[in-house]
Amino acid sequence: MKQGSKVGIVCCSNGLDQKQAETVDLLVQILEKSGFVPELSPYLYGDENGMVGTARERAQALMNFYRDDSVEEIFDVSGGDLANEILPYLDFQTIAYGKKHFWGYSDLTTVLNAIYARTGKFSVLYQVRNLTYEHSQEQITDFLETVLGGSSALYDFPCEFVRGTHMEGMVVGGNIRCLLKLAGTPFWPDMREKILLLESYGGGVPQMVTYLSQLSQMGVFKKVNGILLGTFTKMEASECKPDMAELVLKFAEKRTPIAQTKFIGHGTDSKAIRIGHHLKLYSEEANKRIYNTITRT
């Protein structure tokens, strides 16, 4: 991207509450001040049930940005429950041929993984409204260095290995509840040799056991190269025991590497991660080994 680029702002899941208009206005101001030209979908704000437009209308608003060659990136500002409703109305051929990418988080996990499954293109798990929240300055700096400066600042996050020392593969997944909406549909991504990303805002131990059981029964854990855990907001706030890492250890194959990070998920300090993009992760111990090998040669 470059300054002067037009960017689309859409809402593919639940419509925003009118109270969030101030946040959207602030986001527009930040983007404009950064040199971008935001263009808003007509379907942003929902009724008392969060409904906004029809599924076809929300999908059409998204596709209008894909078809507009002057729009360089598309950012979804929503979350909730309704995003998978638009999937049958998306033109994946148009999405596949375009150079732009879709950004969203939480319930938009359904769209991110569907795009990868149907086109092979990556999308970005990230909520652009983070530019307006309490970590605004750091988020704006990382965002601009990445989209304008070509750095990886927004995609760089620390992680700790729960088991193993490294993992490598294309990243799929995102919000665990929303990912499972794709099960049994044409939009489910191939899990073979992938890094499976899992995170969540809500839910406790019973819900996570349910989701992990379904993934296990689908054979997912036998296929993936590794599992990356983001944040599990409600579980962590309640200090649930067992925690998510302990639960995943019980379900995952014994040789599958597992890592976790506090910087992917629903936190306002969250980094971005590309769904459908190749990723290599190494433990601190493995990184030291690699560094020592390089310096000796």
Side-chain angles (χ1 to χ4, degrees):
M1 292 177 68
K2 56 186 180 299
Q3 288 192 325
S5 297
K6 187 189 292 186
V7 296
I9 305 294
V10 295
C11 172
C12 295
S13 187
N14 296 40
L16 300 179
D17 190 291
Q18 284 293 338
K19 295 175 183 176
Q20 294 173 288
E22 289 184 10
T23 301
V24 174
D25 290 344
L26 178 57
L27 174 62
V28 168
Q29 291 172 28
I30 290 169
L31 291 172
E32 288 177 340
K33 187 177 179 180
S34 301
F36 301 113
V37 181
E39 185 171 321
L40 276 57
S41 161
Y43 305 104
L44 287 186
Y45 299 100
D47 61 18
E48 65 276 8
N49 296 313
M51 307 298 292
V52 52
T54 64
R56 189 185 295 274
E57 287 170 334
R58 297 198 312 281
Q60 189 59 48
L62 174 58
M63 291 312 307
N64 286 343
F65 286 136
Y66 269 108
R67 295 187 180 105
D68 184 345
D69 290 337
S70 67
V71 173
E72 295 207 13
E73 294 288 86
I74 304 169
F75 300 101
D76 193 293
V77 292
S78 66
D81 300 289
L82 301 173
N84 66 330
E85 185 187 25
I86 75 167
L87 297 179
Y89 304 108
L90 298 182
D91 179 354
F92 288 101
Q93 186 171 7
T94 296
I95 293 172
Y97 288 136
K99 293 181 180 179
K100 63 198 76 178
H101 296 97
F102 179 83
W103 300 54
Y105 87 147
S106 194
D107 193 42
L108 283 307
T109 292
T110 55
V111 178
L112 303 174
N113 284 273
I115 288 174
Y116 173 63
R118 297 296 294 272
T119 73
K121 286 185 63 175
F122 78 78
S123 301
V124 186
L125 184 79
Y126 182 74
Q127 175 51 260
V128 74
R129 283 187 282 125
N130 283 349
L131 303 184
T132 70
Y133 296 142
E134 59 184 302
H135 298 92
S136 174
Q137 195 51 61
E138 303 98 283
Q139 292 279 8
I140 291 170
T141 299
D142 287 350
F143 178 79
L144 294 180
E145 285 181 1
T146 301
V147 300
L148 291 178
S151 86
S152 60
L154 195 63
Y155 301 122
D156 293 338
F157 56 88
C159 68
E160 294 182 357
F161 273 74
V162 177
R163 183 167 66 196
T165 59
H166 67 280
M167 64 177 73
E168 179 177 352
M170 300 286 265
V171 180
V172 294
N175 182 277
I176 187 171
R177 174 182 69 89
C178 301
L179 174 66
L180 284 166
K181 295 180 190 181
L182 300 179
T185 75
F187 310 111
W188 178 258
D190 184 347
M191 292 287 170
R192 286 174 294 182
E193 300 182 346
K194 302 300 193 298
I195 291 178
L196 176 62
L197 167 68
L198 299 173
E199 58 84 26
S200 181
Y201 178 76
V205 172
Q207 289 77 22
M208 297 306 144
V209 169
T210 293
Y211 302 146
L212 293 171
S213 295
Q214 184 176 353
L215 289 169
S216 178
Q217 291 160 21
M218 292 170 66
V220 169
F221 295 129
K222 293 183 182 297
K223 297 176 182 177
V224 298
N225 281 356
I227 300 168
L228 174 62
L229 302 176
T231 55
F232 291 80
T233 309
K234 294 293 187 181
M235 284 187 74
E236 291 164 15
S238 301
E239 298 182 348
C240 288
K241 292 295 180 185
D243 62 20
M244 195 59 180
E246 292 170 311
L247 291 176
V248 171
L249 281 167
K250 293 179 181 178
F251 282 90
E253 296 293 293
K254 295 192 182 303
R255 294 184 180 179
T256 302
I258 301 169
Q260 56 186 2
T261 178
K262 297 182 180 298
F263 290 94
I264 300 293
H266 284 67
T268 57
D269 59 347
S270 286
K271 297 279 195 166
I273 189 168
R274 289 165 285 195
I275 302 299
H277 192 270
H278 194 267
L279 181 67
K280 293 181 182 181
L281 293 175
Y282 296 93
S283 68
E284 188 176 335
E285 174 190 341
N287 272 325
K288 285 178 182 176
R289 250 192 340 260
I290 293 168
Y291 175 78
N292 290 335
T293 303
I294 292 171
T295 52
R296 281 198 297 271
T297 28

